[in-house]
DNA sequence: ACCTGAACACCGTTCAAGT
DNA sequence: ACCTGAACACCGTTCAAGT
């Protein structure tokens, strides 16, 4: 477990119980969102967030222990949206053949990568950096479950944990390829077949393994 | 081509032609290496680098236009080592069957991820951030060529550019899975078979494509 | 009890002054 | 021509002073 030592407190300082507090947190996140969308990470300073939110820096620090905590909160919010989208796709392709279902997931990833704002791109990078210090486990599990449910019928005979692992691998594989393509300027229609090949190839390899040593 | 606008000058300010200059650059990089190894990215400040290198900050800025340029230089140096290792492996498995060859590449990646210093981990993260502003193209091409040479015999009938793409995909896929496993604490022997499955599955999917529509 | 914002510590970068 | 390091601008974070 590398990189987990000395983890600074990154979570929100206190759960905003009162309405006013909740509102304040909302203002802060809204301000951060607007700044990120306009100027990216370079423009995001705590003083600017406070100014745009219409409060003082001191107040900001009452709700977030440091700057990263603001970014983490935004990432969590974004990830919730991603998890919901994945669940929606999973529901839609419940009875579709595997290649169709996988294609739907891949297209969702492509959409997320190619049709999105500076904001989302900036958050994506921070997510990778912060992932070493904090776990975005809850949303990760929702995504895993949706993918696992989708591929399970095709992997009959595989241990449940193996299906979960396959779902995680598939998720990572698709996301890595799509992210990298987007970052290096490979056009969407050029990367799509390659991602599909990787995803379906991986699943086919899993099936071959089941066939060769069934349980 | 996202993220390439406003690219600040990140390359070394001047090629150190004289011996003394070359020595200075060497001192700077050595100091940076030592600091990164000891304290990670958080400890890397230009003033500290200068102090450890035994020069003044001003001199440092004569050879590197900014802090990132130092990190980029270190990354390039590291990548040269990686490219050499890949080439060595490729030469070793030249006549081995495909699964053996792929396993050798995967083991190289596993070794790089699991048996390395704080320094390498820190550089890895910076590489992903800086990749948006600068291309580490030369070493990338060397790696691509080695992998492409290795898989080409198994992909007879595929267009040359398609083989290169497959090599890039394979590289990315292996590296992403291994990096992620290392970062989340998945033990090496648990991730190994999954990476092999992904890599070989992808290649098998490529071969299936060739068979279904030969040229 | 909570908000304010000047102040602190620190960092990347510059540039007038030296040699 | 090249090096030096104080100084500048700026940023994250704190805390004494207010209400």
């Amino acid at each position: 477990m590398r990189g987990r030592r000395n983890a600074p407190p990154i979570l929100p300082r206190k759960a905003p119980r009162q309405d006013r507090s909740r509102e304040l947190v909302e203002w802060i996140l809204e301000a951060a969102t607007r700044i990120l969308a306009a100027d990216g990470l370079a423009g995001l300073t705590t003083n600017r967030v406070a100014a745009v939110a219409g409060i003082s820096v001191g107040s900001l620090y009452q709700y977030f222990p440091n700057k990263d905590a603001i970014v983490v909160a935004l990432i969590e919010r974004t990830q919730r949206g991603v998890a919901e989208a994945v669940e929606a796709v999973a529901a839609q392709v419940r009875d579709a053949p595997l290649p169709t279902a996988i294609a739907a997931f891949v297209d969702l990833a492509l959409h997320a990568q190619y049709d999105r704002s500076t904001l989302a791109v900036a958050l994506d990078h921070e997510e990778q950096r912060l992932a070493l210090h904090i776990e975005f486990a809850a949303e990760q599990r929702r995504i895993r479950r949706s993918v696992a449910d989708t591929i399970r019928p095709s992997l009959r005979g595989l241990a449940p944990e193996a299906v979960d692992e396959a779902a995680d691998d598939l998720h990572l594989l698709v996301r890595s390829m799509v992210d990298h393509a987007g970052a290096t300027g490979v056009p969407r229609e050029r990367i799509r077949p390659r991602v599909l090949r990787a995803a379906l190839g991986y699943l086919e390899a899993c099936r071959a393994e089941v066939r060769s040593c069934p349980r």
Side-chain angles (χ1 to χ4, degrees), chain A:
Chain A
M1 290 295 178
R2 190 157 29 73
R4 296 269 164 68
R5 289 163 305 159
N6 292 332
I10 289 185
L11 293 171
R13 195 181 280 276
K14 55 169 147 181
R17 303 217 171 280
Q18 294 154 25
D19 282 357
R20 170 149 176 68
S21 303
R22 205 189 305 262
E23 227 175 32
L24 251 171
V25 167
E26 198 51 47
W27 288 348
I28 293 170
L29 293 181
E30 227 165 80
T33 301
R34 199 148 51 207
I35 293 168
L36 276 175
D39 293 346
L41 262 170
L44 193 75
T45 72
T46 49
N47 279 281
R48 192 134 94 96
V49 170
V52 173
I55 60 172
S56 77
V57 238
S59 295
L60 185 153
Y61 275 90
Q62 201 158 28
Y63 295 95
F64 295 91
N66 51 48
K67 185 176 148 176
D68 280 347
I70 302 173
V71 178
V72 166
L74 287 180
I75 291 175
E76 271 166 356
R77 190 171 286 205
T78 308
Q79 285 217 331
R80 222 167 299 144
V82 172
E84 275 161 22
V86 170
E87 282 168 358
V89 166
Q92 247 174 357
V93 299
R94 183 175 298 270
D95 299 312
L98 189 66
T100 308
I102 296 298
F105 284 126
V106 170
D107 285 331
L108 179 63
L110 286 168
H111 172 73
Q113 176 66 23
Y114 284 87
D115 307 333
R116 75 196 176 159
S117 55
T118 320
L119 167 71
V121 174
L123 285 184
D124 228 42
H125 275 104
E126 283 302 277
E127 187 186 329
Q128 291 186 28
R129 182 176 68 83
L130 294 167
L132 289 180
H133 300 297
I134 192 178
E135 326 222 8
F136 302 101
E139 315 305 327
Q140 209 73 7
R141 262 196 304 275
R142 285 176 63 185
I143 294 173
R144 170 197 292 167
R145 189 149 61 103
S146 287
V147 177
D149 287 348
T150 304
I151 62 178
R152 188 169 295 112
S154 310
L155 298 177
R156 227 179 293 280
L158 213 62
E161 320 87 57
V163 175
D164 280 352
E165 283 180 359
D168 282 343
D169 288 341
L170 224 56
H171 178 202
L172 179 67
L173 186 154
V174 169
R175 195 180 151 169
S176 300
M177 290 184 76
V178 170
D179 277 8
H180 187 260
T184 54
V186 177
R188 172 182 190 143
E189 63 275 11
R190 294 273 321 257
I191 195 63
R192 188 176 185 273
R194 292 156 68 181
V195 180
L196 285 174
R197 220 176 293 146
L200 291 169
Y202 177 76
L203 283 172
E204 197 47 58
C206 289
R207 296 173 71 165
E209 206 126 318
V210 179
R211 278 197 299 274
S212 75
C213 61
R215 312 161 2 106

